[in-house]
Amino acid sequence: MKIGIVGGTGDIGEGMAMRLSPIFDVIVGSRESEKAEQTCRMGLELQKKRGIDCSLTGVTNQIAIDDADVIILAIPFKHLSGTLGTLHGFEGKTVISPVNPMEKRDFFTCVPPEEGSAALMIQRILPPSARICTAFNMIAANKWKALEEELAYSVPVCGDDDAAKREVMAIVNKVSKLQSFDAGPLAASCLVESLTPLLLNIARYNKMRDVGIQFH
Amino acid sequence: MKIGIVGGTGDIGEGMAMRLSPIFDVIVGSRESEKAEQTCRMGLELQKKRGIDCSLTGVTNQIAIDDADVIILAIPFKHLSGTLGTLHGFEGKTVISPVNPMEKRDFFTCVPPEEGSAALMIQRILPPSARICTAFNMIAANKWKALEEELAYSVPVCGDDDAAKREVMAIVNKVSKLQSFDAGPLAASCLVESLTPLLLNIARYNKMRDVGIQFH
């Protein structure tokens, strides 16, 4: 399966690429293909040193969308609308949103757009046949990048297309020790997007690092 | 320490009373003192059979407030404003809100009042010297009542008064295997109140029962 990461050279996108590329064919997208190629060269070298084979290709964001079966939007919320406006070709594809519409004031808080959540905003912007799911919202960049550490977290997945949701849940379950949970329709995604600012507050006020979550 | 439970004969309030009364002096409040007395008689009998000593007194909601050091508002969100309007005497007291402003549509969702959260609404209604904290938001009535089962969950606590927050966190940490986490000021409580509808959705869509949460 080919997974394209839009914003794949950002902090979180790069960590995702490293974790996913030993399992899937990962297509790293960036505004400039040179940057994506460089990220992939460094990633391949790093994994080779660890004795791990992986599939990493660096291209533009648009080619990542065109060539992939499943697309991850690893874009900060503030750039989401602008970036999506420059891209096309999402018709019929499974699109994963790990995006959290949050702000840091004295503390972290969720500031959803008028659609109710980042995922619902993506649904409004993309063509109706794009099959949007939330996933990976609460996994910090540091966690993605700490390749020697297991990711033993729960991952809630929202979405309106059952087949796409099952596909995304299966992807999640193949990464480290992540465990996916069906968290309902996309209309419930605001609850998932509220988790990351909560975990950031807990990390901050309890002097913890990169707090994760488990449901049981 | 005397803990008063307003709404102590409701589903959650009764479970809380059972769990807290072996550790603290628990004052169960109800609209009618007879109902509170009956709940306490049954609770004392049940605990006696288990060989456990506890302190349970049934009174009206108003007397529970007047006699307690710490007050838990075990009231469903829809009755919160109406119930608080009939009560007084919160000045200087520590007040715990486990209240979640949620609705069940096709799925569960958070529908906060205009103040931004139930806890912030309580802050607006009560006198300024009341020291309001959120706690116990995501522990289901069934979990409170299953006295033979450990409660091995994380409990985020929000509040603006540091001393009150420390007091509430210490109370939480004494109950079963609950572990409290400072989740920031009361303005961040909307993030905590979003957790319960999320957990209810996860229970529903994954055919689980009474899903709990752990931060780590």
Side-chain angles (χ1 to χ4, degrees):
Chain A
M1 180 190 289
K2 290 182 186 173
I3 299 185
I5 305 179
V6 173
T9 57
D11 225 23
I12 285 198
E14 199 182 310
M16 284 181 172
M18 297 300 291
R19 292 273 190 179
L20 295 171
S21 56
I23 317 165
F24 307 100
D25 293 321
V26 172
I27 307 169
V28 172
S30 185
R31 272 181 297 179
E32 297 160 25
S33 60
E34 292 74 24
K35 204 173 166 196
E37 284 164 24
Q38 193 190 358
T39 293
C40 292
R41 261 196 312 276
M42 285 169 59
L44 287 166
E45 264 174 48
L46 178 62
Q47 293 287 35
K48 200 175 167 190
K49 276 186 200 156
R50 300 173 69 229
I52 292 171
D53 249 357
C54 58
S55 170
L56 268 170
T57 312
V59 294
T60 60
N61 282 326
Q62 186 58 57
I63 295 176
I65 295 163
D66 295 340
D67 286 0
D69 309 302
V70 173
I71 298 150
I72 302 177
L73 301 176
I75 312 168
F77 178 71
K78 62 181 173 184
H79 298 141
L80 188 59
S81 168
T83 303
L84 290 181
T86 67
L87 300 168
H88 55 83
F90 290 96
E91 284 79 5
K93 302 221 170 175
T94 298
V95 178
I96 298 176
S97 168
V99 183
N100 300 302
M102 61 182 184
E103 276 180 20
K104 186 172 187 293
R105 298 174 187 172
D106 287 342
F107 52 91
F108 293 91
T109 192
C110 189
V111 185
E114 63 183 15
E115 291 85 354
S117 72
L120 291 167
M121 190 178 98
I122 292 167
Q123 188 178 49
R124 181 184 57 73
I125 296 173
L126 297 192
S129 65
R131 308 186 303 164
I132 298 148
C133 293
T134 64
F136 301 127
N137 295 65
M138 307 98 72
I139 303 168
N142 286 334
K143 296 272 188 191
W144 282 111
K145 289 188 175 178
L147 300 180
E148 308 302 331
E149 290 174 24
E150 297 278 19
L151 299 173
Y153 304 114
S154 298
V155 175
V157 176
C158 291
D160 294 336
D161 183 297
D162 277 346
K165 194 192 276 184
R166 279 195 302 274
E167 187 180 23
V168 171
M169 290 175 72
I171 291 170
V172 169
N173 291 338
K174 282 186 182 152
V175 180
S176 191
K177 295 203 181 305
L178 294 182
Q179 193 186 358
S180 66
F181 289 80
D182 185 344
L186 214 61
S189 57
C190 57
L191 303 173
V192 172
E193 295 177 6
S194 291
L195 283 171
T196 300
L198 174 69
L199 296 180
L200 288 169
N201 287 335
I202 286 174
R204 176 178 174 175
Y205 291 104
N206 301 275
K207 299 188 171 56
M208 295 165 73
R209 220 177 150 237
D210 299 330
V211 177
I213 205 164
Q214 279 181 334
F215 307 126
H216 65 103
Chain B
M1 182 190 288
K2 290 182 184 173
I3 297 184
I5 305 180
V6 174
T9 57
D11 225 22
I12 286 198
E14 199 181 311
M16 283 180 173
M18 296 301 289
R19 293 272 190 178
L20 295 172
S21 58
I23 316 166
F24 307 100
D25 293 322
V26 172
I27 306 168
V28 172
S30 184
R31 270 180 299 180
E32 295 159 27
S33 61
E34 292 74 22
K35 205 172 167 197
E37 285 164 23
Q38 194 190 358
T39 293
C40 291
R41 261 196 311 275
M42 287 169 57
L44 287 165
E45 266 174 46
L46 177 62
Q47 294 286 36
K48 198 175 169 189
K49 277 187 200 154
R50 300 173 68 230
I52 291 170
D53 248 358
C54 58
S55 169
L56 268 170
T57 313
V59 294
T60 60
N61 283 326
Q62 187 58 58
I63 295 176
I65 295 164
D66 295 340
D67 286 0
D69 309 303
V70 173
I71 298 151
I72 302 176
L73 301 176
I75 313 167
F77 178 70
K78 63 180 172 185
H79 298 140
L80 188 59
S81 167
T83 303
L84 291 182
T86 67
L87 299 169
H88 55 85
F90 290 96
E91 285 79 6
K93 301 222 172 175
T94 297
V95 178
I96 298 176
S97 167
V99 182
N100 300 302
M102 61 181 184
E103 276 180 20
K104 187 173 187 294
R105 300 173 183 172
D106 288 341
F107 53 93
F108 293 91
T109 193
C110 189
V111 185
E114 61 183 17
E115 292 84 352
S117 74
L120 290 168
M121 189 178 100
I122 292 167
Q123 189 178 47
R124 182 184 56 74
I125 296 172
L126 297 192
S129 65
R131 307 185 305 164
I132 298 149
C133 293
T134 65
F136 302 127
N137 295 67
M138 309 98 72
I139 303 167
N142 286 334
K143 296 272 188 189
W144 282 113
K145 288 186 176 180
L147 300 180
E148 308 302 331
E149 291 174 25
E150 297 279 19
L151 299 173
Y153 305 115
S154 298
V155 176
V157 176
C158 291
D160 294 335
D161 183 298
D162 278 344
K165 193 192 277 183
R166 279 195 301 274
E167 184 180 25
V168 171
M169 290 176 72
I171 291 170
V172 169
N173 291 338
K174 282 186 182 153
V175 180
S176 192
K177 293 199 182 308
L178 295 182
Q179 192 185 358
S180 65
F181 289 82
D182 185 343
L186 213 62
S189 57
C190 57
L191 303 174
V192 172
E193 295 176 7
S194 291
L195 283 171
T196 300
L198 174 70
L199 296 179
L200 289 168
N201 287 335
I202 286 174
R204 174 178 176 177
Y205 291 104
N206 301 275
K207 298 188 171 56
M208 296 164 72
R209 218 178 151 238
D210 300 330
V211 178
I213 205 164
Q214 279 182 333
F215 307 125
H216 65 102

